[in-house]
Amino acid sequence: MASVENRSGLHYSIACAVALVAVAFTVAVGMLMVSSYLAARTSSPLNLTELDRLRAAIPGDASGDAVRTRIRDLDHVARQLYFGGLHSLRTGCYLFLLGAIISLAGIKVAITLKARRPDPRGYPPAVGELELLASARFVIAATAVGLVTVAILIGIMERRRDGGEPPVRVDGAFKGEVAGSARSPAFRGFAGSGVAAFTNTPVAWDVRTGSNVLWMVKIPLAGMSSPVVWGTRVFVTGASDEKRVVYCHDLDSGTCLWQADVKVAGDTAGKVPTVNKDTGFAASTPVTDGNAVYAIFANGQVAGIDSCAREMWTIDLGLPGNKYGYSASLAMHAGKVLVQFDTGEDGRQSQLVALDSGSGRRVWTMDRPVTDSWPSPVLVETGQGTQLVTVANEYIIAYDPATGAELWRVKCGGTDVAATPICAGGLVIAAIAHDKTYAIRPDGRGDVTASHVAWTSEDGTSDVPSPVSDGELIYFAHSSGMITCVDVKTGQTVWSKGLEAEFYASPGLAGDRIYLVARSGEVFILKAGRMYEEIGRAHLGEPSDCSPAFVDGRILLRGLNHLFCIGMKLPAGDAGDRNEVTAPAGTQANGMDQGL
């Protein structure tokens, strides 16, 4: 009996010791989490007054190089501290939970065994109980070593998963720090609609005098891709037949913070795609989720670049078979990068591909019964959930973005389809070149050609530019210069106007202002409404085929050689001055050399 009681008391001591070790471990992790939280909060690169002061000092610096170098260095240090704090917080959550579970389990066992006191007459321990004492010490030591080992392994796995540097999470504190007006994360904004969330956009500027030109920056490599914005960062891509680059610029100053080369991998190595000069090697607009930026190039290579300009992953989808060159932009949904890879020429199979944004692995792949096309996929919110709508020469097809399952399709005609669809007035609007415009109710299933096409119209159908809508009217631009307005409910033409210009860029809408960028670089600003009314015209001073990106009070426009930030200048300090920025030497990112 004494031996049994002694064993019970020893088990009680072991439970207490294990609980004590786990509690101490949990408290230590909690203290480190508090420290990491304070470090991340105080070093947030979005809230550094010193950066604001340096940006304001750029106009007073003769060359701007010294100030911009200081901005890059300070931003890099702040971002390393910020990301390090976020990484520690996330790892700490796992460890804190593990320690708490072991602590509670140890305390529970100790409470259960507490009533079973050992009999003092059982000491010194009988033969065999010394081995039990040694085992108890081993259990306690193993618990401590196990906790530390698990902590190290979780830290390593977290760092590997994030590509060596934790991304900024958009579903946590960072989301609140970035105003919605400071985000235009994909081609034509959030839903590919081209509609801005505000109305304070400028209607006049002059590149020659610098009036309302906040800054302009030269992009070393050409590209027809449009800019995307997240917080204080602007991303564009550029490429040649030998090189592919993602550029990151500061939204407030235009400073090139880093540039990341995308290395060729897989079967595309040494192969150069055939592209039209109007398409080029970087026609697809990238997409960003605040964690990283994701880009696709004319050779079919998709890359994920993290917040410190390092290549997280690349995937080779194969050399596209498009006769003009690949141009479909990327979309994102629930941590997946969505690629419309229509290359159905020369026996190739067109596909819709979903890639995991963290690793680049294929989440799902859906074969498509279409030939090559050039529109981008768009996400549409419906009463039945989110749909991914695609357009090609033969079909307009909607998919479930979570699984890739086809939801509905409409048979269409036409050739060389390039305009991206939009959602307006509860309808999917798809302009099919050399055919007509289709307005589709998105609540059907299967082939809905005969049942869910609300109306069709042959008037003013876009060929290259995508349409834009204010919910009541739809505005189409044609490459020939014809602008057409139709009623969203009926498809009836409201007005049309021929302009002496060519359009490849898609129009943007901010409030009641429509911005049309002509191939010459001239920007036509029209008033949305049932009568044609021109508000004004401005010029970039160089050709452009890129669509505008809108953020609060500013328009990002890309020309043949420069990226422009257009906005109302402050009356003091830099009024009438133009900030022309060139990418400083040595800004190419390599490993930890540059930070976002």
Side-chain angles (χ1 to χ4, degrees):
M1 177 65 70
S3 176
V4 172
E5 291 180 345
N6 288 339
R7 286 175 180 271
S8 177
L10 188 59
H11 291 161
Y12 170 76
S13 300
I14 294 174
C16 289
V18 169
L20 183 61
V21 170
V23 168
F25 176 82
T26 304
V27 171
V29 170
M31 294 175 64
L32 289 175
M33 289 177 66
V34 172
S35 175
S36 297
Y37 170 77
L38 294 176
R41 184 175 181 181
T42 57
S43 63
S44 172
L46 299 175
N47 297 312
L48 288 181
T49 56
E50 178 65 12
L51 278 178
D52 293 336
R53 186 189 67 79
L54 288 172
R55 291 182 184 119
I58 286 180
D61 184 40
S63 65
D65 291 343
V67 176
R68 294 183 184 103
T69 299
R70 175 60 179 160
I71 289 175
R72 288 194 301 275
D73 292 343
L74 181 58
D75 181 88
H76 176 68
V77 172
R79 196 159 292 273
Q80 296 299 316
L81 291 174
Y82 182 67
F83 289 159
L86 292 179
H87 174 75
S88 298
L89 276 174
R90 186 168 54 195
T91 303
C93 287
Y94 296 125
L95 299 178
F96 189 87
L97 180 62
L98 176 65
I101 292 173
I102 296 176
S103 299
L104 293 174
I107 292 172
K108 175 65 176 177
V109 172
I111 291 174
T112 303
L113 297 175
K114 185 176 182 181
R116 303 174 186 177
R117 302 283 184 179
D119 189 343
R121 293 172 295 177
Y123 291 91
V127 176
E129 291 190 358
L130 290 174
E131 289 80 358
L132 184 60
L133 286 170
S135 298
R137 296 189 185 99
F138 174 78
V139 170
I140 296 171
T143 300
V145 172
L147 286 171
V148 174
T149 302
V150 170
I152 295 173
L153 290 176
I154 290 178
I156 292 174
M157 287 188 294
E158 280 292 296
R159 188 162 292 275
R160 284 182 178 176
R161 187 181 72 179
D162 294 335
E165 191 67 33
V168 182
R169 303 310 306 174
V170 301
D171 51 356
F174 185 71
K175 183 177 181 181
E177 296 177 21
V178 180
S181 59
R183 282 180 278 174
S184 180
F187 175 61
R188 309 191 76 205
F190 275 97
S193 64
V195 179
F198 43 86
T199 61
N200 57 341
T201 50
V203 295
W205 63 87
D206 192 327
V207 173
R208 294 171 299 176
T209 64
S211 175
N212 286 338
V213 179
L214 299 181
W215 51 261
M216 57 184 291
V217 56
K218 185 175 178 61
I219 306 298
L221 288 179
M224 302 302 175
S225 59
S226 301
V228 297
V229 185
W230 192 282
T232 59
R233 302 293 175 262
V234 183
F235 303 99
V236 292
T237 60
S240 65
D241 57 348
E242 298 179 346
K243 193 174 184 179
R244 289 142 300 279
V245 179
V246 176
Y247 300 95
C248 173
H249 290 266
D250 181 84
L251 175 61
D252 294 325
S253 67
T255 302
C256 182
L257 298 174
W258 51 257
Q259 65 181 58
D261 287 349
V262 177
K263 303 295 188 297
V264 175
D267 295 337
T268 61
K271 298 180 180 178
V272 179
T274 300
V275 300
N276 185 282
K277 66 176 183 177
D278 291 334
T279 306
F281 296 94
S284 304
T285 297
V287 66
T288 179
D289 57 2
N291 307 329
V293 59
Y294 311 92
I296 185 170
F297 297 91
N299 63 348
Q301 188 173 12
V302 191
I305 308 298
D306 74 6
S307 50
C308 284
R310 287 174 298 180
E311 188 176 290
M312 299 188 303
W313 51 263
T314 60
I315 182 171
D316 177 19
L317 297 180
L319 209 62
N322 304 62
K323 56 179 173 287
Y324 300 129
Y326 186 79
S327 67
S329 300
L330 301 176
M332 284 203 73
H333 179 264
K336 297 183 290 294
V337 179
L338 305 173
V339 188
Q340 182 176 337
F341 202 64
D342 289 348
T343 60
E345 292 289 328
D346 302 327
R348 295 176 175 84
Q349 180 63 57
S350 296
Q351 293 182 329
L352 191 65
V353 182
L355 305 174
D356 178 77
S357 62
S359 64
R361 67 176 179 84
R362 291 198 184 210
V363 179
W364 52 257
T365 301
M366 179 62 64
D367 290 339
R368 287 167 50 76
V370 299
T371 57
D372 53 346
S373 71
W374 296 267
S376 303
V378 295
L379 293 163
V380 174
E381 298 297 332
T382 71
Q384 289 72 40
T386 305
Q387 299 182 3
L388 182 67
V389 180
T390 65
V391 174
N393 293 343
E394 295 87 353
Y395 290 101
I396 305 162
I397 307 178
Y399 300 86
D400 180 348
T403 65
E406 182 178 317
L407 300 176
W408 55 262
R409 67 167 63 182
V410 168
K411 177 69 175 177
C412 62
T415 57
D416 295 343
V417 178
T420 295
I422 62 170
C423 184
L427 301 172
V428 170
I429 308 298
I432 308 299
H434 308 112
D435 185 16
K436 53 191 172 184
T437 299
Y438 293 77
I440 306 163
R441 294 187 297 272
D443 57 351
R445 290 294 182 269
D447 191 330
V448 298
T449 307
S451 59
H452 281 69
V453 177
W455 54 260
T456 62
S457 173
E458 297 181 4
D459 295 339
T461 299
S462 299
D463 54 351
V464 179
S466 307
V468 70
S469 174
D470 58 8
E472 296 182 2
L473 302 171
I474 309 170
Y475 305 90
F476 297 90
H478 195 277
S479 62
S480 64
M482 180 63 67
I483 312 300
T484 304
C485 171
V486 305
D487 187 279
V488 71
K489 293 181 180 179
T490 65
Q492 294 296 314
T493 299
V494 177
W495 57 259
S496 62
K497 175 71 173 179
L499 299 176
E500 295 183 359
E502 294 180 283
F503 297 101
Y504 275 10
S506 299
L509 177 68
D512 62 351
R513 301 165 180 173
I514 302 171
Y515 292 81
L516 289 157
V517 182
R519 301 199 68 195
S520 64
E522 188 173 17
V523 181
F524 295 80
I525 306 170
L526 313 180
K527 185 174 183 178
R530 292 187 172 272
M531 295 183 61
Y532 175 84
E533 181 179 345
E534 186 174 307
I535 297 175
R537 299 187 186 187
H539 210 293
L540 297 179
E542 60 188 53
S544 175
D545 287 334
C546 304
S547 303
F550 300 95
V551 292
D552 191 5
R554 285 171 280 190
I555 309 173
L556 279 301
L557 293 165
R558 181 176 186 173
L560 180 64
N561 300 308
H562 292 84
L563 177 65
F564 300 85
C565 182
I566 309 299
M568 297 296 291
K569 285 194 172 182
L570 296 175
D574 60 346
D577 296 329
R578 180 180 67 180
N579 297 332
E580 182 167 353
V581 186
T582 56
T587 58
Q588 181 173 338
N590 181 12
M592 294 290 290
D593 293 340
Q594 294 291 330
L596 183 139

